Amino acid sequence: MHDIPANHPRKVSLETRGQLVKGFEQGIVCIPGLIAHGRGEAFDYIFGEKTNHFAQKAIEASASLLLLAKKPVISVNGNVAALCPGEVVQLASLCGAEIEVNLFYRTPERMEAIKKALFAAGARRVLGGEEDEAIIPELFSERRRVSREGIYSADVVLVPLEDGDRTTALKKIGKKVIAIDLNPLSVTAKAADITIVDNVIRALPALCTAVNQLKPKEKHTLEQILAGYNNNMVLGEALEAISLRMKELARR
Amino acid sequence: MHDIPANHPRKVSLETRGQLVKGFEQGIVCIPGLIAHGRGEAFDYIFGEKTNHFAQKAIEASASLLLLAKKPVISVNGNVAALCPGEVVQLASLCGAEIEVNLFYRTPERMEAIKKALFAAGARRVLGGEEDEAIIPELFSERRRVSREGIYSADVVLVPLEDGDRTTALKKIGKKVIAIDLNPLSVTAKAADITIVDNVIRALPALCTAVNQLKPKEKHTLEQILAGYNNNMVLGEALEAISLRMKELARR
């Protein structure tokens, strides 16, 4: 990667891409992960590369749900491990969540490379790939294989950068699902209980901040935040935001 | 790649991605090309994965410009060579254009792999990488190196899947530029004389059809089509189309 000038208008986006390419070279990121990142880049660009109001609402609701959870689990894939391993570890520690590696394109080598990145970022325990894995019914990809001490027995699962089938399957076995997905039209975005339509590199730090802020609150307050949250409405607001931005740009 | 069921709603998109991954394995496509493809996928998805009215207008104007050109050249990069080498060869033959390989991430191996793919698709002559290359001023990437018999002496250059800097540099040395770019907000889209906001896998065949239909017309008719074409208006229509589609989806 060439050095990116400090005043480049899309510096963060280009540096993030550089991190992902490094992750690819380390065996953490897979080829479909690179393409998926490009899709995310396009949506992020359309949203103005910032955390919008609809994302902030979902972040607060997610923090409440994570704090109310009996057993929250953060599911990690290659792109998440390449882009924000430190934030995953911090969030897990803040809300007492397990970290589990769960991959669509699963190989023992990728599982290990991702675990290594998480341990290097400070994780004490990373689940995934045990001999006695459980199976999520009605899910036919490698993602069906989950840890008994992790996703299988979780009540709330945070799935950043997700494929649609798994969110639907997790919902069917009674899990509450929080997704981070820049595409408000995706199957994941629609199936999740809470969808944070934001770039994972901004959403995870913002989620840590929200958990810190809400941690001292009473259970009742957190339940009220959750009761007042409507995911369909939030997704509608994200679509409206694209609509308004494009209309404004067309006028110029 | 797994086989994609015939009734999968996004079959073409997934197969196209498979072709690109194959191109990557053959040394034709580079890592940034994979990410760029993802960005295109997102815009294509937003546009409904079809050739819209604004793209069709640009395609007709492009066909007219190519037929009026004294020396049209089609610039080919890795993604274009991986996705539609046959269509490049067909279009070049229909409008008497040269084919030139021009790369941002240029290595002798990639130049050769791309030329090989074009020859395999039926090309008789492919320019690019000659010892006596000319240099485009004010362009600092590898893309500045062009063939004297190709882009350097062309009057019209078709640049599918382009980076913004080059289009601007080509305009500065008096070339007419036709771009194929799914992002109506990109520097390329704004700098080009004609921007076809469509997926290259649909735009190139549609361009061949339009050239065939307009070929028997008189020069005057082609000039009229061009005179009636307004690229800013077409880009505005593309943004309006996104705006309307998002509004409609938000209502559901």
PDB file of all heavy atoms in Angstrom, chain A residues 17 21 24 31 34-35 38-39 41-42 45-46 183 185 239 242-243 246 249, chain B residues 17 24 31 34-35 38-39 41-42 45-46 183 185 239 242-243 246 249:
ATOM      1  N   ARG A  17      -9.233  -0.274   4.074  1.00  0.00           N
ATOM      2  CA  ARG A  17      -9.046  -1.244   3.000  1.00  0.00           C
ATOM      3  C   ARG A  17      -7.650  -1.880   3.107  1.00  0.00           C
ATOM      4  O   ARG A  17      -7.499  -3.077   2.908  1.00  0.00           O
ATOM      5  CB  ARG A  17      -9.221  -0.554   1.646  1.00  0.00           C
ATOM      6  CG  ARG A  17      -9.365  -1.535   0.517  1.00  0.00           C
ATOM      7  CD  ARG A  17      -9.300  -0.854  -0.827  1.00  0.00           C
ATOM      8  NE  ARG A  17     -10.402   0.067  -1.019  1.00  0.00           N
ATOM      9  CZ  ARG A  17     -10.493   0.862  -2.071  1.00  0.00           C
ATOM     10  NH1 ARG A  17      -9.564   0.850  -3.017  1.00  0.00           N
ATOM     11  NH2 ARG A  17     -11.517   1.680  -2.197  1.00  0.00           N
ATOM     12  N   VAL A  21      -6.653  -5.852   3.393  1.00  0.00           N
ATOM     13  CA  VAL A  21      -5.732  -6.525   2.476  1.00  0.00           C
ATOM     14  C   VAL A  21      -4.633  -7.222   3.286  1.00  0.00           C
ATOM     15  O   VAL A  21      -4.251  -8.354   2.986  1.00  0.00           O
ATOM     16  CB  VAL A  21      -5.142  -5.524   1.457  1.00  0.00           C
ATOM     17  CG1 VAL A  21      -4.032  -6.165   0.639  1.00  0.00           C
ATOM     18  CG2 VAL A  21      -6.241  -4.999   0.530  1.00  0.00           C
ATOM     19  N   PHE A  24      -5.997 -10.311   4.555  1.00  0.00           N
ATOM     20  CA  PHE A  24      -6.064 -11.317   3.490  1.00  0.00           C
ATOM     21  C   PHE A  24      -4.709 -12.012   3.369  1.00  0.00           C
ATOM     22  O   PHE A  24      -4.628 -13.245   3.282  1.00  0.00           O
ATOM     23  CB  PHE A  24      -6.443 -10.646   2.168  1.00  0.00           C
ATOM     24  CG  PHE A  24      -6.488 -11.590   0.995  1.00  0.00           C
ATOM     25  CD1 PHE A  24      -7.500 -12.528   0.876  1.00  0.00           C
ATOM     26  CD2 PHE A  24      -5.507 -11.542   0.016  1.00  0.00           C
ATOM     27  CE1 PHE A  24      -7.535 -13.408  -0.202  1.00  0.00           C
ATOM     28  CE2 PHE A  24      -5.537 -12.404  -1.065  1.00  0.00           C
ATOM     29  CZ  PHE A  24      -6.555 -13.342  -1.170  1.00  0.00           C
ATOM     30  N   ILE A  31     -11.416 -14.393   0.050  1.00  0.00           N
ATOM     31  CA  ILE A  31     -11.747 -13.619  -1.158  1.00  0.00           C
ATOM     32  C   ILE A  31     -13.172 -13.051  -1.096  1.00  0.00           C
ATOM     33  O   ILE A  31     -13.370 -11.860  -1.340  1.00  0.00           O
ATOM     34  CB  ILE A  31     -11.535 -14.470  -2.435  1.00  0.00           C
ATOM     35  CG1 ILE A  31     -10.024 -14.715  -2.634  1.00  0.00           C
ATOM     36  CG2 ILE A  31     -12.127 -13.781  -3.655  1.00  0.00           C
ATOM     37  CD1 ILE A  31      -9.693 -15.551  -3.850  1.00  0.00           C
ATOM     38  N   LEU A  34     -13.247  -9.903   0.812  1.00  0.00           N
ATOM     39  CA  LEU A  34     -12.769  -8.696   0.128  1.00  0.00           C
ATOM     40  C   LEU A  34     -13.899  -8.067  -0.688  1.00  0.00           C
ATOM     41  O   LEU A  34     -14.106  -6.851  -0.669  1.00  0.00           O
ATOM     42  CB  LEU A  34     -11.602  -9.036  -0.806  1.00  0.00           C
ATOM     43  CG  LEU A  34     -10.281  -9.493  -0.156  1.00  0.00           C
ATOM     44  CD1 LEU A  34      -9.316 -10.008  -1.219  1.00  0.00           C
ATOM     45  CD2 LEU A  34      -9.634  -8.345   0.620  1.00  0.00           C
ATOM     46  N   ILE A  35     -14.635  -8.913  -1.391  1.00  0.00           N
ATOM     47  CA  ILE A  35     -15.741  -8.408  -2.222  1.00  0.00           C
ATOM     48  C   ILE A  35     -16.837  -7.812  -1.330  1.00  0.00           C
ATOM     49  O   ILE A  35     -17.374  -6.743  -1.612  1.00  0.00           O
ATOM     50  CB  ILE A  35     -16.293  -9.526  -3.142  1.00  0.00           C
ATOM     51  CG1 ILE A  35     -15.173 -10.013  -4.088  1.00  0.00           C
ATOM     52  CG2 ILE A  35     -17.508  -9.035  -3.934  1.00  0.00           C
ATOM     53  CD1 ILE A  35     -15.530 -11.209  -4.936  1.00  0.00           C
ATOM     54  N   GLY A  38     -16.062  -4.389  -0.259  1.00  0.00           N
ATOM     55  CA  GLY A  38     -16.358  -3.401  -1.302  1.00  0.00           C
ATOM     56  C   GLY A  38     -17.830  -2.992  -1.275  1.00  0.00           C
ATOM     57  O   GLY A  38     -18.164  -1.812  -1.400  1.00  0.00           O
ATOM     58  N   ARG A  39     -18.718  -3.969  -1.078  1.00  0.00           N
ATOM     59  CA  ARG A  39     -20.148  -3.640  -0.976  1.00  0.00           C
ATOM     60  C   ARG A  39     -20.376  -2.694   0.188  1.00  0.00           C
ATOM     61  O   ARG A  39     -21.099  -1.702   0.069  1.00  0.00           O
ATOM     62  CB  ARG A  39     -20.987  -4.915  -0.798  1.00  0.00           C
ATOM     63  CG  ARG A  39     -21.129  -5.729  -2.061  1.00  0.00           C
ATOM     64  CD  ARG A  39     -22.349  -6.660  -1.992  1.00  0.00           C
ATOM     65  NE  ARG A  39     -22.269  -7.601  -0.885  1.00  0.00           N
ATOM     66  CZ  ARG A  39     -21.531  -8.708  -0.887  1.00  0.00           C
ATOM     67  NH1 ARG A  39     -20.808  -9.020  -1.932  1.00  0.00           N
ATOM     68  NH2 ARG A  39     -21.533  -9.506   0.150  1.00  0.00           N
ATOM     69  N   GLU A  41     -18.229  -0.635   1.516  1.00  0.00           N
ATOM     70  CA  GLU A  41     -17.657   0.671   1.165  1.00  0.00           C
ATOM     71  C   GLU A  41     -18.665   1.526   0.396  1.00  0.00           C
ATOM     72  O   GLU A  41     -18.799   2.725   0.650  1.00  0.00           O
ATOM     73  CB  GLU A  41     -16.423   0.496   0.270  1.00  0.00           C
ATOM     74  CG  GLU A  41     -15.129   0.249   0.997  1.00  0.00           C
ATOM     75  CD  GLU A  41     -13.922   0.277   0.047  1.00  0.00           C
ATOM     76  OE1 GLU A  41     -14.091   0.513  -1.175  1.00  0.00           O
ATOM     77  OE2 GLU A  41     -12.823   0.049   0.523  1.00  0.00           O
ATOM     78  N   ALA A  42     -19.355   0.889  -0.553  1.00  0.00           N
ATOM     79  CA  ALA A  42     -20.319   1.636  -1.377  1.00  0.00           C
ATOM     80  C   ALA A  42     -21.455   2.191  -0.517  1.00  0.00           C
ATOM     81  O   ALA A  42     -21.823   3.359  -0.632  1.00  0.00           O
ATOM     82  CB  ALA A  42     -20.874   0.738  -2.485  1.00  0.00           C
ATOM     83  N   TYR A  45     -20.204   5.002   1.774  1.00  0.00           N
ATOM     84  CA  TYR A  45     -20.021   6.193   0.951  1.00  0.00           C
ATOM     85  C   TYR A  45     -21.356   6.907   0.735  1.00  0.00           C
ATOM     86  O   TYR A  45     -21.475   8.127   0.895  1.00  0.00           O
ATOM     87  CB  TYR A  45     -19.415   5.701  -0.360  1.00  0.00           C
ATOM     88  CG  TYR A  45     -19.163   6.711  -1.426  1.00  0.00           C
ATOM     89  CD1 TYR A  45     -18.023   7.518  -1.370  1.00  0.00           C
ATOM     90  CD2 TYR A  45     -20.017   6.837  -2.506  1.00  0.00           C
ATOM     91  CE1 TYR A  45     -17.765   8.428  -2.378  1.00  0.00           C
ATOM     92  CE2 TYR A  45     -19.762   7.736  -3.518  1.00  0.00           C
ATOM     93  CZ  TYR A  45     -18.636   8.537  -3.450  1.00  0.00           C
ATOM     94  OH  TYR A  45     -18.384   9.439  -4.446  1.00  0.00           O
ATOM     95  N   ILE A  46     -22.380   6.110   0.432  1.00  0.00           N
ATOM     96  CA  ILE A  46     -23.723   6.669   0.215  1.00  0.00           C
ATOM     97  C   ILE A  46     -24.257   7.303   1.503  1.00  0.00           C
ATOM     98  O   ILE A  46     -24.927   8.332   1.473  1.00  0.00           O
ATOM     99  CB  ILE A  46     -24.674   5.555  -0.305  1.00  0.00           C
ATOM    100  CG1 ILE A  46     -24.330   5.211  -1.758  1.00  0.00           C
ATOM    101  CG2 ILE A  46     -26.134   5.961  -0.177  1.00  0.00           C
ATOM    102  CD1 ILE A  46     -25.098   4.025  -2.312  1.00  0.00           C
ATOM    103  N   ASN A 183     -26.009  -2.587   4.667  1.00  0.00           N
ATOM    104  CA  ASN A 183     -27.079  -2.689   3.668  1.00  0.00           C
ATOM    105  C   ASN A 183     -28.429  -2.862   4.364  1.00  0.00           C
ATOM    106  O   ASN A 183     -28.751  -3.936   4.855  1.00  0.00           O
ATOM    107  CB  ASN A 183     -26.796  -3.882   2.753  1.00  0.00           C
ATOM    108  CG  ASN A 183     -27.907  -4.100   1.744  1.00  0.00           C
ATOM    109  OD1 ASN A 183     -28.883  -3.349   1.697  1.00  0.00           O
ATOM    110  ND2 ASN A 183     -27.770  -5.132   0.932  1.00  0.00           N
ATOM    111  N   LEU A 185     -31.189  -3.237   3.215  1.00  0.00           N
ATOM    112  CA  LEU A 185     -32.106  -4.092   2.459  1.00  0.00           C
ATOM    113  C   LEU A 185     -31.758  -5.574   2.581  1.00  0.00           C
ATOM    114  O   LEU A 185     -32.461  -6.428   2.045  1.00  0.00           O
ATOM    115  CB  LEU A 185     -32.055  -3.709   0.971  1.00  0.00           C
ATOM    116  CG  LEU A 185     -32.515  -2.294   0.622  1.00  0.00           C
ATOM    117  CD1 LEU A 185     -31.996  -1.898  -0.744  1.00  0.00           C
ATOM    118  CD2 LEU A 185     -34.030  -2.207   0.680  1.00  0.00           C
ATOM    119  N   LEU A 239     -33.256   3.925   4.787  1.00  0.00           N
ATOM    120  CA  LEU A 239     -33.603   4.039   3.364  1.00  0.00           C
ATOM    121  C   LEU A 239     -33.988   5.476   3.016  1.00  0.00           C
ATOM    122  O   LEU A 239     -33.603   6.007   1.968  1.00  0.00           O
ATOM    123  CB  LEU A 239     -34.749   3.076   3.020  1.00  0.00           C
ATOM    124  CG  LEU A 239     -34.414   1.580   3.149  1.00  0.00           C
ATOM    125  CD1 LEU A 239     -35.664   0.728   2.958  1.00  0.00           C
ATOM    126  CD2 LEU A 239     -33.349   1.168   2.131  1.00  0.00           C
ATOM    127  N   ILE A 242     -30.875   7.588   2.548  1.00  0.00           N
ATOM    128  CA  ILE A 242     -30.264   7.439   1.211  1.00  0.00           C
ATOM    129  C   ILE A 242     -31.068   8.256   0.208  1.00  0.00           C
ATOM    130  O   ILE A 242     -30.524   9.006  -0.602  1.00  0.00           O
ATOM    131  CB  ILE A 242     -30.240   5.957   0.745  1.00  0.00           C
ATOM    132  CG1 ILE A 242     -29.438   5.082   1.714  1.00  0.00           C
ATOM    133  CG2 ILE A 242     -29.651   5.853  -0.667  1.00  0.00           C
ATOM    134  CD1 ILE A 242     -29.399   3.602   1.322  1.00  0.00           C
ATOM    135  N   SER A 243     -32.388   8.095   0.284  1.00  0.00           N
ATOM    136  CA  SER A 243     -33.272   8.787  -0.655  1.00  0.00           C
ATOM    137  C   SER A 243     -33.045  10.292  -0.626  1.00  0.00           C
ATOM    138  O   SER A 243     -32.885  10.946  -1.663  1.00  0.00           O
ATOM    139  CB  SER A 243     -34.723   8.444  -0.318  1.00  0.00           C
ATOM    140  OG  SER A 243     -35.598   9.156  -1.149  1.00  0.00           O
ATOM    141  N   MET A 246     -29.490  11.319  -2.034  1.00  0.00           N
ATOM    142  CA  MET A 246     -29.397  11.227  -3.493  1.00  0.00           C
ATOM    143  C   MET A 246     -30.172  12.364  -4.166  1.00  0.00           C
ATOM    144  O   MET A 246     -29.747  12.926  -5.162  1.00  0.00           O
ATOM    145  CB  MET A 246     -29.957   9.881  -3.989  1.00  0.00           C
ATOM    146  CG  MET A 246     -29.141   8.683  -3.569  1.00  0.00           C
ATOM    147  SD  MET A 246     -27.433   8.696  -4.207  1.00  0.00           S
ATOM    148  CE  MET A 246     -26.506   8.757  -2.671  1.00  0.00           C
ATOM    149  N   LEU A 249     -28.093  15.477  -3.850  1.00  0.00           N
ATOM    150  CA  LEU A 249     -26.948  15.444  -4.765  1.00  0.00           C
ATOM    151  C   LEU A 249     -27.391  15.615  -6.219  1.00  0.00           C
ATOM    152  O   LEU A 249     -26.687  16.213  -7.029  1.00  0.00           O
ATOM    153  CB  LEU A 249     -26.171  14.132  -4.597  1.00  0.00           C
ATOM    154  CG  LEU A 249     -25.390  14.004  -3.277  1.00  0.00           C
ATOM    155  CD1 LEU A 249     -24.940  12.572  -3.059  1.00  0.00           C
ATOM    156  CD2 LEU A 249     -24.193  14.950  -3.267  1.00  0.00           C
TER     157      LEU A 249
ATOM    158  N   ARG B  17     -19.490 -12.958  -9.848  1.00  0.00           N
ATOM    159  CA  ARG B  17     -18.491 -12.941  -8.801  1.00  0.00           C
ATOM    160  C   ARG B  17     -17.551 -14.147  -8.943  1.00  0.00           C
ATOM    161  O   ARG B  17     -16.343 -14.017  -8.775  1.00  0.00           O
ATOM    162  CB  ARG B  17     -19.176 -12.963  -7.424  1.00  0.00           C
ATOM    163  CG  ARG B  17     -18.230 -12.630  -6.300  1.00  0.00           C
ATOM    164  CD  ARG B  17     -18.853 -12.857  -4.957  1.00  0.00           C
ATOM    165  NE  ARG B  17     -20.014 -12.030  -4.741  1.00  0.00           N
ATOM    166  CZ  ARG B  17     -20.813 -12.132  -3.678  1.00  0.00           C
ATOM    167  NH1 ARG B  17     -20.564 -13.043  -2.749  1.00  0.00           N
ATOM    168  NH2 ARG B  17     -21.847 -11.348  -3.540  1.00  0.00           N
ATOM    169  N   PHE B  24      -9.006 -13.746 -10.610  1.00  0.00           N
ATOM    170  CA  PHE B  24      -8.011 -13.472  -9.565  1.00  0.00           C
ATOM    171  C   PHE B  24      -7.010 -14.629  -9.487  1.00  0.00           C
ATOM    172  O   PHE B  24      -5.797 -14.421  -9.425  1.00  0.00           O
ATOM    173  CB  PHE B  24      -8.719 -13.275  -8.221  1.00  0.00           C
ATOM    174  CG  PHE B  24      -7.790 -13.041  -7.064  1.00  0.00           C
ATOM    175  CD1 PHE B  24      -7.110 -11.845  -6.939  1.00  0.00           C
ATOM    176  CD2 PHE B  24      -7.586 -14.018  -6.105  1.00  0.00           C
ATOM    177  CE1 PHE B  24      -6.238 -11.615  -5.881  1.00  0.00           C
ATOM    178  CE2 PHE B  24      -6.725 -13.811  -5.039  1.00  0.00           C
ATOM    179  CZ  PHE B  24      -6.046 -12.601  -4.932  1.00  0.00           C
ATOM    180  N   ILE B  31      -6.183  -7.600  -6.056  1.00  0.00           N
ATOM    181  CA  ILE B  31      -6.979  -7.483  -4.827  1.00  0.00           C
ATOM    182  C   ILE B  31      -7.874  -6.232  -4.843  1.00  0.00           C
ATOM    183  O   ILE B  31      -9.066  -6.323  -4.572  1.00  0.00           O
ATOM    184  CB  ILE B  31      -6.069  -7.512  -3.573  1.00  0.00           C
ATOM    185  CG1 ILE B  31      -5.475  -8.921  -3.411  1.00  0.00           C
ATOM    186  CG2 ILE B  31      -6.844  -7.127  -2.320  1.00  0.00           C
ATOM    187  CD1 ILE B  31      -4.537  -9.060  -2.212  1.00  0.00           C
ATOM    188  N   LEU B  34     -10.992  -6.853  -6.692  1.00  0.00           N
ATOM    189  CA  LEU B  34     -12.035  -7.625  -5.996  1.00  0.00           C
ATOM    190  C   LEU B  34     -12.889  -6.690  -5.141  1.00  0.00           C
ATOM    191  O   LEU B  34     -14.120  -6.781  -5.123  1.00  0.00           O
ATOM    192  CB  LEU B  34     -11.401  -8.691  -5.094  1.00  0.00           C
ATOM    193  CG  LEU B  34     -10.664  -9.856  -5.793  1.00  0.00           C
ATOM    194  CD1 LEU B  34      -9.905 -10.695  -4.766  1.00  0.00           C
ATOM    195  CD2 LEU B  34     -11.642 -10.735  -6.566  1.00  0.00           C
ATOM    196  N   ILE B  35     -12.228  -5.779  -4.429  1.00  0.00           N
ATOM    197  CA  ILE B  35     -12.962  -4.838  -3.569  1.00  0.00           C
ATOM    198  C   ILE B  35     -13.812  -3.895  -4.424  1.00  0.00           C
ATOM    199  O   ILE B  35     -14.976  -3.635  -4.112  1.00  0.00           O
ATOM    200  CB  ILE B  35     -11.978  -4.056  -2.661  1.00  0.00           C
ATOM    201  CG1 ILE B  35     -11.222  -5.048  -1.755  1.00  0.00           C
ATOM    202  CG2 ILE B  35     -12.711  -3.009  -1.834  1.00  0.00           C
ATOM    203  CD1 ILE B  35     -10.122  -4.429  -0.909  1.00  0.00           C
ATOM    204  N   GLY B  38     -16.983  -5.433  -5.442  1.00  0.00           N
ATOM    205  CA  GLY B  38     -17.987  -5.391  -4.378  1.00  0.00           C
ATOM    206  C   GLY B  38     -18.734  -4.059  -4.366  1.00  0.00           C
ATOM    207  O   GLY B  38     -19.947  -4.017  -4.211  1.00  0.00           O
ATOM    208  N   ARG B  39     -17.988  -2.961  -4.554  1.00  0.00           N
ATOM    209  CA  ARG B  39     -18.645  -1.649  -4.610  1.00  0.00           C
ATOM    210  C   ARG B  39     -19.652  -1.618  -5.757  1.00  0.00           C
ATOM    211  O   ARG B  39     -20.774  -1.150  -5.602  1.00  0.00           O
ATOM    212  CB  ARG B  39     -17.618  -0.533  -4.802  1.00  0.00           C
ATOM    213  CG  ARG B  39     -16.820  -0.220  -3.556  1.00  0.00           C
ATOM    214  CD  ARG B  39     -16.215   1.187  -3.614  1.00  0.00           C
ATOM    215  NE  ARG B  39     -15.321   1.370  -4.744  1.00  0.00           N
ATOM    216  CZ  ARG B  39     -14.071   0.912  -4.798  1.00  0.00           C
ATOM    217  NH1 ARG B  39     -13.569   0.251  -3.788  1.00  0.00           N
ATOM    218  NH2 ARG B  39     -13.331   1.117  -5.857  1.00  0.00           N
ATOM    219  N   GLU B  41     -21.171  -4.172  -7.099  1.00  0.00           N
ATOM    220  CA  GLU B  41     -22.308  -5.045  -6.746  1.00  0.00           C
ATOM    221  C   GLU B  41     -23.349  -4.279  -5.940  1.00  0.00           C
ATOM    222  O   GLU B  41     -24.556  -4.424  -6.161  1.00  0.00           O
ATOM    223  CB  GLU B  41     -21.819  -6.219  -5.884  1.00  0.00           C
ATOM    224  CG  GLU B  41     -21.304  -7.410  -6.647  1.00  0.00           C
ATOM    225  CD  GLU B  41     -21.027  -8.609  -5.715  1.00  0.00           C
ATOM    226  OE1 GLU B  41     -21.283  -8.540  -4.502  1.00  0.00           O
ATOM    227  OE2 GLU B  41     -20.541  -9.618  -6.226  1.00  0.00           O
ATOM    228  N   ALA B  42     -22.874  -3.473  -4.981  1.00  0.00           N
ATOM    229  CA  ALA B  42     -23.807  -2.729  -4.120  1.00  0.00           C
ATOM    230  C   ALA B  42     -24.625  -1.734  -4.935  1.00  0.00           C
ATOM    231  O   ALA B  42     -25.849  -1.653  -4.791  1.00  0.00           O
ATOM    232  CB  ALA B  42     -23.040  -2.010  -3.012  1.00  0.00           C
ATOM    233  N   TYR B  45     -27.124  -3.558  -7.194  1.00  0.00           N
ATOM    234  CA  TYR B  45     -28.218  -4.041  -6.353  1.00  0.00           C
ATOM    235  C   TYR B  45     -29.218  -2.906  -6.099  1.00  0.00           C
ATOM    236  O   TYR B  45     -30.434  -3.068  -6.227  1.00  0.00           O
ATOM    237  CB  TYR B  45     -27.572  -4.529  -5.062  1.00  0.00           C
ATOM    238  CG  TYR B  45     -28.469  -5.029  -3.988  1.00  0.00           C
ATOM    239  CD1 TYR B  45     -28.993  -6.310  -4.041  1.00  0.00           C
ATOM    240  CD2 TYR B  45     -28.755  -4.241  -2.877  1.00  0.00           C
ATOM    241  CE1 TYR B  45     -29.789  -6.789  -3.021  1.00  0.00           C
ATOM    242  CE2 TYR B  45     -29.548  -4.704  -1.855  1.00  0.00           C
ATOM    243  CZ  TYR B  45     -30.065  -5.977  -1.930  1.00  0.00           C
ATOM    244  OH  TYR B  45     -30.850  -6.444  -0.913  1.00  0.00           O
ATOM    245  N   ILE B  46     -28.671  -1.732  -5.777  1.00  0.00           N
ATOM    246  CA  ILE B  46     -29.524  -0.563  -5.519  1.00  0.00           C
ATOM    247  C   ILE B  46     -30.296  -0.165  -6.772  1.00  0.00           C
ATOM    248  O   ILE B  46     -31.458   0.245  -6.713  1.00  0.00           O
ATOM    249  CB  ILE B  46     -28.654   0.612  -5.004  1.00  0.00           C
ATOM    250  CG1 ILE B  46     -28.194   0.338  -3.564  1.00  0.00           C
ATOM    251  CG2 ILE B  46     -29.393   1.942  -5.083  1.00  0.00           C
ATOM    252  CD1 ILE B  46     -27.197   1.346  -3.025  1.00  0.00           C
ATOM    253  N   ASN B 183     -21.176   3.893 -10.108  1.00  0.00           N
ATOM    254  CA  ASN B 183     -21.292   4.942  -9.091  1.00  0.00           C
ATOM    255  C   ASN B 183     -21.450   6.312  -9.755  1.00  0.00           C
ATOM    256  O   ASN B 183     -20.481   6.881 -10.248  1.00  0.00           O
ATOM    257  CB  ASN B 183     -20.046   4.923  -8.201  1.00  0.00           C
ATOM    258  CG  ASN B 183     -20.069   6.042  -7.158  1.00  0.00           C
ATOM    259  OD1 ASN B 183     -21.014   6.819  -7.083  1.00  0.00           O
ATOM    260  ND2 ASN B 183     -19.011   6.113  -6.368  1.00  0.00           N
ATOM    261  N   LEU B 185     -21.698   9.061  -8.548  1.00  0.00           N
ATOM    262  CA  LEU B 185     -21.054  10.136  -7.783  1.00  0.00           C
ATOM    263  C   LEU B 185     -19.538  10.136  -7.948  1.00  0.00           C
ATOM    264  O   LEU B 185     -18.855  11.017  -7.418  1.00  0.00           O
ATOM    265  CB  LEU B 185     -21.379   9.970  -6.290  1.00  0.00           C
ATOM    266  CG  LEU B 185     -22.858  10.083  -5.905  1.00  0.00           C
ATOM    267  CD1 LEU B 185     -23.085   9.472  -4.533  1.00  0.00           C
ATOM    268  CD2 LEU B 185     -23.296  11.528  -5.931  1.00  0.00           C
ATOM    269  N   LEU B 239     -29.191   9.425  -9.909  1.00  0.00           N
ATOM    270  CA  LEU B 239     -29.342   9.714  -8.478  1.00  0.00           C
ATOM    271  C   LEU B 239     -30.824   9.748  -8.089  1.00  0.00           C
ATOM    272  O   LEU B 239     -31.219   9.223  -7.051  1.00  0.00           O
ATOM    273  CB  LEU B 239     -28.664  11.043  -8.131  1.00  0.00           C
ATOM    274  CG  LEU B 239     -27.136  11.066  -8.282  1.00  0.00           C
ATOM    275  CD1 LEU B 239     -26.594  12.480  -8.081  1.00  0.00           C
ATOM    276  CD2 LEU B 239     -26.473  10.115  -7.301  1.00  0.00           C
ATOM    277  N   ILE B 242     -32.140   6.228  -7.649  1.00  0.00           N
ATOM    278  CA  ILE B 242     -31.818   5.640  -6.334  1.00  0.00           C
ATOM    279  C   ILE B 242     -32.771   6.216  -5.299  1.00  0.00           C
ATOM    280  O   ILE B 242     -33.353   5.492  -4.487  1.00  0.00           O
ATOM    281  CB  ILE B 242     -30.359   5.956  -5.900  1.00  0.00           C
ATOM    282  CG1 ILE B 242     -29.349   5.399  -6.903  1.00  0.00           C
ATOM    283  CG2 ILE B 242     -30.083   5.386  -4.504  1.00  0.00           C
ATOM    284  CD1 ILE B 242     -27.884   5.702  -6.544  1.00  0.00           C
ATOM    285  N   SER B 243     -32.928   7.543  -5.338  1.00  0.00           N
ATOM    286  CA  SER B 243     -33.782   8.219  -4.370  1.00  0.00           C
ATOM    287  C   SER B 243     -35.201   7.647  -4.376  1.00  0.00           C
ATOM    288  O   SER B 243     -35.760   7.314  -3.326  1.00  0.00           O
ATOM    289  CB  SER B 243     -33.800   9.713  -4.685  1.00  0.00           C
ATOM    290  OG  SER B 243     -34.683  10.377  -3.817  1.00  0.00           O
ATOM    291  N   MET B 246     -35.347   3.929  -3.031  1.00  0.00           N
ATOM    292  CA  MET B 246     -35.201   3.832  -1.569  1.00  0.00           C
ATOM    293  C   MET B 246     -36.477   4.304  -0.877  1.00  0.00           C
ATOM    294  O   MET B 246     -36.916   3.727   0.121  1.00  0.00           O
ATOM    295  CB  MET B 246     -34.017   4.671  -1.104  1.00  0.00           C
ATOM    296  CG  MET B 246     -32.671   4.179  -1.551  1.00  0.00           C
ATOM    297  SD  MET B 246     -32.256   2.505  -0.957  1.00  0.00           S
ATOM    298  CE  MET B 246     -32.141   1.608  -2.502  1.00  0.00           C
ATOM    299  N   LEU B 249     -39.011   1.575  -1.174  1.00  0.00           N
ATOM    300  CA  LEU B 249     -38.705   0.440  -0.286  1.00  0.00           C
ATOM    301  C   LEU B 249     -38.940   0.818   1.172  1.00  0.00           C
ATOM    302  O   LEU B 249     -39.348  -0.035   1.969  1.00  0.00           O
ATOM    303  CB  LEU B 249     -37.258  -0.001  -0.495  1.00  0.00           C
ATOM    304  CG  LEU B 249     -36.980  -0.709  -1.831  1.00  0.00           C
ATOM    305  CD1 LEU B 249     -35.483  -0.801  -2.100  1.00  0.00           C
ATOM    306  CD2 LEU B 249     -37.616  -2.082  -1.868  1.00  0.00           C
TER     307      LEU B 249
END
